[in-house]
Amino acid sequence: MAASSSAEQTQLHDMEEEEEGMEEREMESDEENRMRGENSDEEEDDSSDDEKENEAEIQRLEEQLSINAFDYNCHVDLIKLLKQEGELLRLRKARQKMSELFPLTEEIWLEWLKDEIRLTEEEPNREKVYELFEKAVTDYICPDIWLEFAQYSIGGMGLPGGMEKVRSIFERAVMAVGLHMTKGQAVWEAYREFENVILSTVQPPPGRVPSCEEQGCLNVQLERIHTLFRRQLAVPLMDMEATFAEYEEWSEQEVAETVMIQYRKALQQLAKCKPLEEALILAEPPKMAEYQAFIDFELKEGDPARIQIIYERALAENCLVPDMWTKYTTYLDRQLKFKELVLSSHERAVRNCPWTMGLWKSYLLALERYDADHATVSDVFEKALIAGFIQATDYVEIWQAFLDYLRRRVDFSKESSKELEELRGSFARSLEYMKQDVEERFGESGDASCIIMQIWARIEALHCKNIQKARELWDSILTKGNAKYANMWLEYYNLERSYGDNAHCRKALHRAVQCTSDYPEHVCEVLLTFERVEGSLEDWDVAVLKTETRLNRVNEQRAKAAVKEANHARQEEDRGDQRQKNKADKKGQKKGQKGPGAVLKRKATQDDHHNDWNNDSAPKRRRGARDGATEENMETEAGRNPPPGYKPGNKRVPAGVRRPDNLAYTLEEPEAKLRAQFESCGPVAQVRPVFATKGTFKGYGYVQFESAVSVAEALKLDRREVEGRPMFVSPCVDKKENPDFKIFKYNTTMERQKLFISGLPFSCTKEQLEEICKSHGTVKDLRLVTYRSGKPKGLAYVEFADVTQASQAVLKMDGMDIGENKICVAISNPPRRNMMDKPGFDRTDLMPRQVFGGRGRGRTQLSLIPRSLHRQSEPVSKVKNGTVDAAGESSAAGETKPLSNSDFARMLLSK
């Protein structure tokens, strides 16, 4: 009984413990459920807050797009938010609005298409998805979109005409992207897979002999697959060897010789293109250089289909590059000339880069070239006006293109027509548009020369025989600030000469003589020539009197302007000199405050390069050419670090010394090579190339001849090319002993007989340019501007015999085409240089120069002047071209205040 009782007690104890455990577990479970409920509430609250924030952001983006519908990033952000929120209907509308304004990227299209496919599972709605696919494949050439399009069409294969529709889409896909070297293979394989599925449906079960009809269907299907293999193997694609192996296995017979020939050609083409394709794969976006290299290769090969596909691939990754669109559309306009392809490409170009005027202009020309209806051309032009060009001149050009189109529509044999009235109305509208819209946006009309009005006037005079209207237009042109330009008056004179009468010609030229301010000599000459041919003696006398009076007045004005400009230049130079002197004085004062020890450290290593060179001095010319300057700043300057062989106190300069400069630093054996260059000029006494402390050649040296007779011949070697660089040759002249020696200096005043020409092709030679200029007058001098390396800059200076010839040359040569370049010609008017840019200026000249005694720079040099009388050394006046600046001496002397007797007395008493 005791044992039984003990067992029962133990069992009861275990039951109690189990019940307690269950109660604890129930309590824990209740606590967990409560916590889960609280967390769920918190998650619901957080989700609700996120939804509210997203909805607020969506509303903000929609409001922003209502203000500016062309904000591309705003469209993208709105689509992402709507997709995140699952707002499919609103998402569809947002995508539709964006697609109306911009071409969509491949990623946006694929997301949109997949969403639409999920939304339209029912067959009656398949046509809407087909329409969406058709829009998607027109934006860019994208293999993935074409593959998705074909696969979606397979789902409707069971519908009436479904199989033909699938084949049609696959055929369009391989035509569009089948030549894509890396992605085209997927489209070909999908096409073959589809045909293999069809083959499996027409094959009879094993063991049953097919009927004649079944055998015919089977043969047709087999031939389709054979044809697909052959077509694919004729195209250079990546991994095409695997395709060939698959074809050999599938055909179960020997491959035809014609197929092998096409396959080998494709392999050869693949070998040529593979390095270019691999470069594209390895390159980082935007890959412009790699794509351009690929395009250039395909253009040389000359296959239009391959050229088109590489252009399309480049544009898919660089859709916002206007130059690429320009090159592509130009190729299509000139080579392929397929209407649908050309016009669709132009439309895509302006949708991608609407701010580029040139693309709109090409689009208008293409529409006219392919006989588009007038409403379409007008609609495209109106879109161009609101595209937002970045320059005022862009609007002038697009208006000119549209007005040219309207003019070509007019039949001028009829006195009045609807097209003529539209042309005149458009001319008037263009002028109003320039005056209001363009000036309001850019602050200028963009048509300062009134080109549009000039064209209108010429059309009225030539085609409409309405010279009175042309004169009214020219009166308006000349009152818009153009009366001071000779070319405007001569343009009007030519119009009157062609379609007007002598009275109006004479009136125009008389007004031109009075008003022209840029080239009055030329206008006067035209008037006198006109009177020689058409006028009476009285007319001649009047013209002579008027031209002489005008030219005298012009010469007086020019003389006054020249004096004023010279005074201004002198003042600027004086101010610059004063600033330099002030800076030098401040630096000198600071160094003087540091004590005599600091002064002793400041001395140029004047004797570092003392070498005996026939006991002759050779003042060092400023190394402008070697340091990157051009001919304008090559001056002789004394007072700088002397060349090797210079000895203080020896002022004689041998007449036979010449200095070659601008030589290559890497020139090997410069002494031997310089001697070889100059031996043809006469006996060479000595050649001294200059080396740096490290032993490297400095690019210049000195040559001394035995006779001064060799000087003239040596100077003719100036700018002779030596190992790819022009060698500058100049005399070593001491300006102190030869103050009248003339050296070229940079001219800061206008030279009316000299022209500045820019935009020359680099291949243009001096002889070619001189031949062009000779037809406009006598050429006194011509100089092509080059870099230090001798390569041309595309610039030139041409000096004519007089101002009249130069002015005529400007009018006739400005805008002339030389080769593929259009040159710009103007009167030479070099900008005034500041003191830091002047030839001969050196920053070391700003530093005060310490004067030492006969003992030189000694460590124990003492001053024997009492400290009270010791004055800080004044900076030595700057030496320019071998002459001392007297003005600098006087100004320096004037700055030191003279001491009175009382001052001296105080000094002595303090001592």
Side-chain angles (χ1 to χ4, degrees):
M1 291 292 294
S4 173
S5 174
S6 176
E8 290 178 356
Q9 288 179 359
T10 302
Q11 185 177 4
L12 288 174
H13 180 69
D14 292 340
M15 292 177 63
E16 289 176 356
E17 287 183 351
E18 184 177 354
E19 289 177 356
E20 290 178 359
M22 290 178 63
E23 290 178 357
E24 290 179 358
R25 286 194 294 271
E26 288 178 357
M27 292 176 65
E28 290 176 357
S29 176
D30 292 341
E31 182 66 21
E32 288 178 2
N33 290 334
R34 186 179 64 80
M35 292 294 293
R36 287 196 190 98
E38 292 178 357
N39 293 335
S40 177
D41 292 340
E42 290 178 359
E43 290 177 359
E44 290 179 0
D45 293 340
D46 293 341
S47 176
S48 177
D49 293 340
D50 292 341
E51 290 178 0
K52 291 179 181 178
E53 291 179 1
N54 290 341
E55 183 62 30
E57 181 65 14
I58 289 171
Q59 291 180 0
R60 186 189 68 80
L61 292 172
E62 289 176 342
E63 291 177 1
Q64 186 171 344
L65 288 174
S66 64
I67 298 172
N68 180 16
F70 290 91
D71 191 336
Y72 185 90
N73 294 328
C74 190
H75 281 284
V76 174
D77 293 340
L78 178 61
I79 289 172
K80 287 181 180 178
L81 275 176
L82 290 174
K83 184 174 179 60
Q84 180 180 338
E85 291 297 311
E87 298 280 350
L88 297 182
L89 295 178
R90 295 172 68 183
L91 178 60
R92 177 187 292 173
K93 291 181 180 179
R95 285 167 169 166
Q96 287 174 348
K97 288 181 179 179
M98 184 177 181
S99 66
E100 292 172 359
L101 299 173
F102 303 100
L104 304 184
T105 62
E106 182 179 4
E107 293 77 11
I108 296 177
W109 271 120
L110 287 174
E111 287 182 359
W112 188 2
L113 290 166
K114 291 176 182 178
D115 289 342
E116 291 294 334
I117 290 171
R118 285 195 297 268
L119 287 174
T120 56
E121 294 292 343
E122 299 180 3
E123 292 179 356
N125 293 326
R126 294 184 67 86
E127 289 301 324
K128 293 183 178 179
V129 180
Y130 281 136
E131 292 176 2
L132 197 60
F133 269 112
E134 293 292 346
K135 290 181 180 179
V137 296
T138 57
D139 275 353
Y140 304 108
I141 299 297
C142 300
D144 292 340
I145 294 179
W146 276 109
L147 195 59
E148 190 74 24
F149 191 8
Q151 290 174 348
Y152 177 75
S153 66
I154 293 174
M157 189 170 60
L159 298 175
M163 190 173 297
E164 289 75 11
K165 189 176 185 67
V166 174
R167 284 199 177 104
S168 173
I169 292 173
F170 267 119
E171 281 295 328
R172 291 173 59 196
V174 296
M175 290 294 292
V177 298
L179 295 177
H180 197 298
M181 287 189 64
T182 56
K183 297 184 179 181
Q185 185 177 7
V187 179
W188 286 103
E189 290 178 352
Y191 195 180
R192 289 204 318 273
E193 185 66 27
F194 164 73
E195 294 294 352
N196 278 320
V197 172
I198 302 300
L199 177 64
S200 64
T201 60
V202 298
Q203 281 181 336
R208 185 172 69 83
V209 178
S211 63
C212 293
E213 183 178 355
E214 290 175 341
Q215 187 63 42
C217 293
L218 182 61
N219 292 337
V220 170
Q221 190 61 29
L222 287 171
E223 183 60 29
R224 283 199 180 102
I225 299 175
H226 272 291
T227 303
L228 283 176
F229 269 116
R230 294 166 188 161
R231 290 169 62 188
Q232 181 179 354
L233 290 173
V235 178
L237 299 173
M238 290 292 189
D239 199 23
M240 61 185 305
E241 294 87 352
T243 304
F244 181 75
E246 181 182 352
Y247 180 43
E248 284 185 315
E249 181 181 356
W250 181 87
S251 64
E252 297 180 353
Q253 57 185 359
E254 187 177 356
V255 180
E257 183 62 26
T258 55
V259 178
M260 290 298 301
I261 292 173
Q262 295 295 324
Y263 173 64
R264 294 191 191 101
K265 288 183 178 179
L267 282 177
Q268 292 175 359
Q269 186 69 21
L270 177 64
K272 295 179 183 178
C273 299
K274 196 170 183 179
L276 297 169
E277 193 66 50
E278 291 174 348
L280 279 175
I281 295 173
L282 297 175
E284 295 292 331
K287 309 179 183 180
M288 286 296 298
E290 290 76 14
Y291 271 120
Q292 189 58 56
F294 211 150
I295 290 170
D296 293 339
F297 168 77
E298 294 294 357
L299 287 172
K300 290 180 181 179
E301 294 292 314
D303 187 344
R306 296 195 58 78
I307 295 171
Q308 181 188 357
I309 190 64
I310 190 59
Y311 265 121
E312 291 287 354
R313 289 177 60 187
L315 290 168
E317 294 192 43
N318 301 278
C319 58
L320 301 181
V321 180
D323 288 345
M324 186 64 71
W325 282 107
T326 301
K327 293 177 182 177
Y328 182 39
T329 53
T330 302
Y331 171 77
L332 296 177
D333 287 334
R334 297 178 180 176
Q335 301 297 328
L336 295 188
K337 300 181 181 179
F338 295 147
K339 178 179 179 180
E340 291 76 12
L341 176 61
V342 170
L343 295 183
S344 64
S345 299
H346 278 289
E347 183 182 7
R348 291 161 54 209
V350 297
R351 289 187 68 202
N352 280 276
C353 305
W355 63 88
T356 308
M357 182 278 304
L359 296 177
W360 288 100
K361 185 177 178 180
S362 300
Y363 192 10
L364 290 175
L365 291 172
L367 289 170
E368 182 183 3
R369 192 175 294 120
Y370 292 102
D371 299 323
D373 59 274
H374 180 58
T376 302
V377 179
S378 300
D379 182 57
V380 170
F381 171 70
E382 295 298 333
K383 290 180 180 178
L385 289 181
I386 61 174
F389 299 145
I390 59 178
Q391 298 182 89
T393 53
D394 289 343
Y395 288 95
V396 178
E397 289 196 42
I398 199 66
W399 267 109
Q400 282 182 313
F402 184 61
L403 292 170
D404 292 344
Y405 158 74
L406 294 178
R407 196 268 305 164
R408 288 189 283 266
R409 295 181 68 242
V410 178
D411 183 5
F412 290 102
S413 61
K414 301 178 182 179
E415 293 185 1
S416 180
S417 63
K418 179 181 178 182
E419 290 79 7
L420 179 58
E421 294 304 319
E422 183 180 4
L423 175 62
R424 284 173 171 161
S426 297
F427 268 115
R429 182 193 166 198
S430 68
L431 299 178
E432 190 67 23
Y433 186 87
M434 295 296 166
K435 184 178 179 181
Q436 293 183 357
D437 298 63
V438 178
E439 283 191 10
E440 181 179 350
R441 179 180 174 187
F442 296 98
E444 58 169 334
S445 67
D447 191 12
S449 299
C450 301
I451 299 297
I452 293 178
M453 293 182 71
Q454 290 188 43
I455 296 172
W456 188 5
R458 187 161 290 276
I459 290 174
E460 291 288 351
L462 174 62
H463 296 293
C464 303
K465 313 302 180 185
N466 189 352
I467 189 64
Q468 187 58 39
K469 178 64 176 177
R471 287 167 182 159
E472 293 175 2
L473 290 169
W474 266 104
D475 284 341
S476 180
I477 292 172
L478 294 170
T479 55
K480 292 181 180 294
N482 293 305
K484 59 184 177 180
Y485 300 117
N487 64 325
M488 302 299 288
W489 283 106
L490 295 180
E491 188 71 26
Y492 176 40
Y493 163 72
N494 290 331
L495 183 76
E496 288 286 358
R497 193 74 169 147
S498 301
Y499 311 108
D501 51 49
N502 288 343
H504 284 88
C505 288
R506 182 175 289 109
K507 182 180 178 181
L509 290 176
H510 279 276
R511 291 175 60 192
V513 169
Q514 291 298 118
C515 301
T516 300
S517 59
D518 55 351
Y519 300 107
E521 295 90 352
H522 186 59
V523 174
C524 292
E525 184 178 350
V526 173
L527 174 59
L528 294 176
T529 302
F530 172 77
E531 296 299 354
R532 279 194 181 97
V533 177
E534 301 288 348
S536 63
L537 178 60
E538 183 180 357
D539 296 330
W540 171 260
D541 291 338
V542 172
V544 169
L545 178 61
K546 179 162 288 191
T547 55
E548 288 180 353
T549 304
R550 175 59 178 162
L551 291 179
N552 289 335
R553 189 183 308 117
V554 168
N555 290 331
E556 292 175 0
Q557 293 173 352
R558 287 175 179 172
K560 293 179 180 179
V563 172
K564 184 177 180 180
E565 187 173 0
N567 292 335
H568 180 72
R570 193 179 301 110
Q571 292 174 1
E572 289 290 331
E573 187 174 354
D574 292 343
R575 280 195 287 267
D577 290 339
Q578 188 61 39
R579 284 194 296 268
Q580 293 178 25
K581 192 173 185 310
N582 292 340
K583 292 171 69 175
D585 291 342
K586 289 181 180 179
K587 290 184 179 180
Q589 291 173 4
K590 289 180 180 179
K591 290 185 178 294
Q593 292 173 1
K594 295 180 180 180
V599 176
L600 291 175
K601 293 180 182 180
R602 180 71 179 100
K603 185 174 188 309
T605 57
Q606 183 173 340
D607 300 326
D608 287 349
H609 301 289
H610 280 190
N611 294 310
D612 187 12
W613 189 26
N614 295 337
N615 295 326
D616 295 326
S617 65
K620 182 178 179 182
R621 183 175 59 81
R622 176 179 178 268
R623 282 171 280 172
R626 184 165 55 85
D627 294 337
T630 55
E631 184 180 2
E632 285 83 349
N633 54 14
M634 292 167 52
E635 294 187 8
T636 301
E637 180 183 1
R640 299 284 302 278
N641 293 336
Y646 174 76
K647 292 187 177 182
N650 189 349
K651 304 299 182 182
R652 185 176 62 85
V653 179
V657 175
R658 292 295 170 267
R659 172 177 172 174
D661 199 350
N662 197 46
L663 300 168
Y665 296 155
T666 57
L667 188 68
E668 296 181 358
E669 299 183 358
E671 181 176 353
K673 292 187 177 179
L674 287 176
R675 184 179 294 276
Q677 291 288 335
F678 287 94
E679 279 180 345
S680 60
C681 304
V684 177
Q686 191 170 3
V687 177
R688 180 61 61 89
V690 180
F691 296 91
T693 54
K694 295 182 180 180
T696 56
F697 181 48
K698 284 192 171 184
Y700 69 99
Y702 299 88
V703 178
Q704 184 176 11
F705 295 96
E706 294 181 358
S707 174
V709 179
S710 306
V711 172
E713 294 298 323
L715 289 176
K716 293 179 181 179
L717 300 182
D718 186 36
R719 294 185 177 273
R720 168 183 283 189
E721 185 172 320
V722 177
E723 295 193 2
R725 293 171 62 90
M727 176 179 67
F728 299 151
V729 181
S730 60
C732 291
V733 177
D734 189 349
K735 291 292 289 184
K736 292 182 179 180
E737 294 186 358
N738 301 275
D740 297 330
F741 181 77
K742 295 182 179 180
I743 195 81
F744 179 83
K745 292 186 178 180
Y746 184 81
N747 200 333
T748 59
T749 60
M750 179 179 290
E751 302 169 281
R752 293 186 174 271
Q753 77 282 3
K754 184 181 289 187
L755 303 185
F756 173 70
I757 303 177
S758 60
L760 290 168
F762 295 153
S763 59
C764 182
T765 63
K766 181 177 180 180
E767 291 75 16
Q768 292 173 343
L769 183 59
E770 186 173 6
E771 190 65 28
I772 295 173
C773 297
K774 277 182 180 179
S775 59
H776 306 294
T778 304
V779 178
K780 292 180 61 179
D781 185 32
L782 189 149
R783 179 169 57 84
L784 293 176
V785 183
T786 62
Y787 290 100
R788 292 171 53 197
S789 61
K791 294 182 179 180
K793 290 186 176 182
L795 309 175
Y797 290 93
V798 181
E799 184 177 359
F800 284 89
D802 53 42
V803 175
T804 302
Q805 292 180 1
S807 61
Q808 289 179 348
V810 170
L811 293 174
K812 295 177 182 178
M813 292 178 62
D814 188 31
M816 176 187 291
D817 291 327
I818 297 181
E820 297 181 355
N821 291 28
K822 180 172 288 187
I823 64 172
C824 296
V825 183
I827 295 296
S828 175
N829 187 18
R832 184 180 295 108
R833 295 185 171 186
N834 56 33
M835 293 302 297
M836 298 296 288
D837 296 332
K838 281 190 176 181
F841 176 79
D842 187 19
R843 294 179 182 272
T844 58
D845 293 335
L846 297 178
M847 302 297 293
R849 299 181 182 177
Q850 181 66 36
V851 179
F852 298 96
R855 297 175 59 188
R857 182 180 58 183
R859 293 182 178 273
T860 60
Q861 187 174 9
L862 301 176
S863 174
L864 301 179
I865 304 175
R867 290 193 190 94
S868 57
L869 298 179
H870 182 74
R871 284 181 284 178
Q872 182 180 349
S873 298
E874 296 178 359
V876 177
S877 60
K878 183 178 178 181
V879 179
K880 297 182 179 179
N881 293 331
T883 58
V884 179
D885 190 349
E889 289 182 353
S890 62
S891 61
E895 290 182 0
T896 305
K897 185 178 179 181
L899 298 177
S900 63
N901 292 334
S902 58
D903 294 330
F904 279 101
R906 282 195 296 272
M907 291 180 187
L908 293 172
L909 290 175
S910 64
K911 187 65 178 174

